[in-house]
Amino acid sequence: MAIFNRYFTVLFRLKTKWISLLLIIQTVASFAMAFFNFSNDHDYINRTIFSNFFTLWLTIFIVLAWLFTGIFYLTTCFQNEHVSGNQTWRLVPIDDKKLYFDNILSSFGALLLFVILEIICTLVLSAVTFTFDSQFHTSILKMFADIGRHLQQVDLEIMFNFFGAIMMTILSAFFGYFIISFLNYSSRALLDFLPQTLSKTYFQIIAVFVIILVAWLAIKASDIGLQIISFPFRFMMGKTTGTNDDLALALILMLVINLLFWFLDTILFSKFFEAREGK
């Protein structure tokens, strides 16, 4: 357990060293975009809504937060495969299965830290906007009044929707890690242990299967994903009851698929995936 925690810490530090740089780029980029658009008085800016520079800056920052979170997530996916395929990491005195779990878990921990820091930065910028924009000030006070009123109507169904949305987001993040690792491990294993022509054929079959599975899941999860994203807004309007009827089934399905690919990835990583010397 001590070795597991030690390598988790090392991998976590490796995957979080770019967080501050990304946040600085996001902050500077959102400030520059807001300043350029606000100072030049572009026609597409609704002055009724964005009557203050800080309101526009906050809005652009929040929009960019989704983009930068996606970029950071893809970065952790790349780092997962780099660690898995690096011969130096495979030589550490830890079981391959534990190393794989360490790798995935540290990526999710880094992603969680990035999201928390995004929320903190958004709250700080919101506080600045709240101070300098009287219209935003009034809107926030009204929003909190609405939330306080709706909190009195919270029931078990709303709580399930809330925590179910969080769990679906977490499971979706892990699904991305597992599916990318599966494609990497299976393709490398086939190329290394089967004749070239035969391995390419098997890999094409696997790739088609994975694409069909991902497409099917995307179609099935599209409505649920929209409900997850819109949940805070629907809650403020008191429209959360009866909206996630299929959420329980989707959670079970996503959990089973994650466990399946975790099992397959563990076998491929420990038995068939050969690391190469890092360059």
Side-chain angles (χ1 to χ4, degrees):
M1 192 64 182
I3 297 178
F4 181 90
N5 293 335
R6 185 187 312 160
Y7 282 103
F8 174 85
T9 303
V10 173
L11 288 170
F12 181 78
R13 290 175 178 173
L14 174 68
K15 295 171 183 178
T16 56
K17 65 180 182 179
W18 303 110
I19 284 183
S20 57
L21 178 61
L22 283 177
L23 289 174
I24 291 173
I25 293 174
Q26 179 185 343
T27 303
V28 173
S30 60
F31 178 85
M33 293 171 65
F35 180 80
F36 175 78
N37 287 284
F38 195 84
S39 60
N40 286 276
D41 198 19
H42 285 275
D43 294 334
Y44 54 79
I45 296 179
N46 190 332
R47 290 294 177 177
T48 304
I49 300 175
F50 303 112
S51 58
N52 187 283
F53 167 77
F54 290 101
T55 309
L56 182 59
W57 185 13
L58 174 62
T59 303
I60 296 176
F61 184 88
I62 293 174
V63 172
L64 289 181
W66 290 93
L67 174 63
F68 276 80
T69 301
I71 292 174
F72 185 78
Y73 177 75
L74 292 176
T75 301
T76 59
C77 292
F78 173 79
Q79 290 173 319
N80 280 346
E81 306 316 306
H82 175 73
V83 170
S84 298
N86 192 305
Q87 195 176 62
T88 304
W89 283 103
R90 295 295 293 273
L91 295 176
V92 299
I94 187 174
D95 183 73
D96 283 343
K97 296 178 181 179
K98 292 181 180 179
L99 177 60
Y100 172 75
F101 187 63
D102 240 345
N103 194 14
I104 296 295
L105 196 60
S106 61
S107 291
F108 179 76
L111 178 64
L112 183 61
L113 175 63
F114 186 81
V115 171
I116 292 173
L117 291 176
E118 284 282 6
I119 293 173
I120 293 174
C121 291
T122 302
L123 291 176
V124 171
L125 190 53
S126 299
V128 174
T129 307
F130 183 84
T131 303
F132 291 100
D133 187 348
S134 58
Q135 182 178 337
F136 182 79
H137 183 107
T138 304
S139 300
I140 289 295
L141 291 178
K142 183 178 182 300
M143 182 187 72
F144 277 112
D146 291 339
I147 292 176
R149 186 168 60 255
H150 296 317
L151 282 175
Q152 299 175 0
Q153 304 171 359
V154 170
D155 55 17
L156 290 177
E157 184 177 6
I158 293 177
M159 293 299 295
F160 173 76
N161 289 341
F162 177 74
F163 288 107
I166 294 176
M167 287 302 303
M168 178 59 72
T169 304
I170 293 173
L171 290 174
S172 298
F174 276 108
F175 175 75
Y177 291 139
F178 292 148
I179 204 71
I180 291 174
S181 294
F182 177 77
L183 288 174
N184 182 29
Y185 298 165
S186 59
S187 61
R188 281 274 303 277
L190 289 172
L191 291 173
D192 289 342
F193 292 98
L194 290 178
Q196 187 175 6
T197 304
L198 189 60
S199 64
K200 288 183 177 180
T201 302
Y202 277 115
F203 177 70
Q204 289 173 353
I205 294 174
I206 292 174
V208 170
F209 167 74
V210 171
I211 290 172
I212 292 174
L213 175 62
V214 172
W216 181 76
L217 285 174
I219 293 173
K220 290 293 184 181
S222 59
D223 292 337
I224 296 174
L226 181 61
Q227 291 169 8
I228 291 173
I229 295 173
S230 64
F231 184 88
F233 306 100
R234 291 185 287 106
F235 178 76
M236 287 185 288
M237 295 184 293
K239 298 179 179 179
T240 56
T241 303
T243 55
N244 288 343
D245 295 335
D246 298 328
L247 183 57
L249 179 61
L251 284 171
I252 295 173
L253 179 63
M254 185 63 76
L255 178 61
V256 171
I257 292 175
N258 275 350
L259 291 175
L260 173 62
F261 277 99
W262 180 16
F263 175 73
L264 293 175
D265 287 345
T266 301
I267 293 178
L268 288 170
F269 182 67
S270 59
K271 302 294 184 183
F272 303 104
F273 183 76
E274 293 186 355
R276 296 172 181 173
E277 184 177 357
K279 297 181 180 179

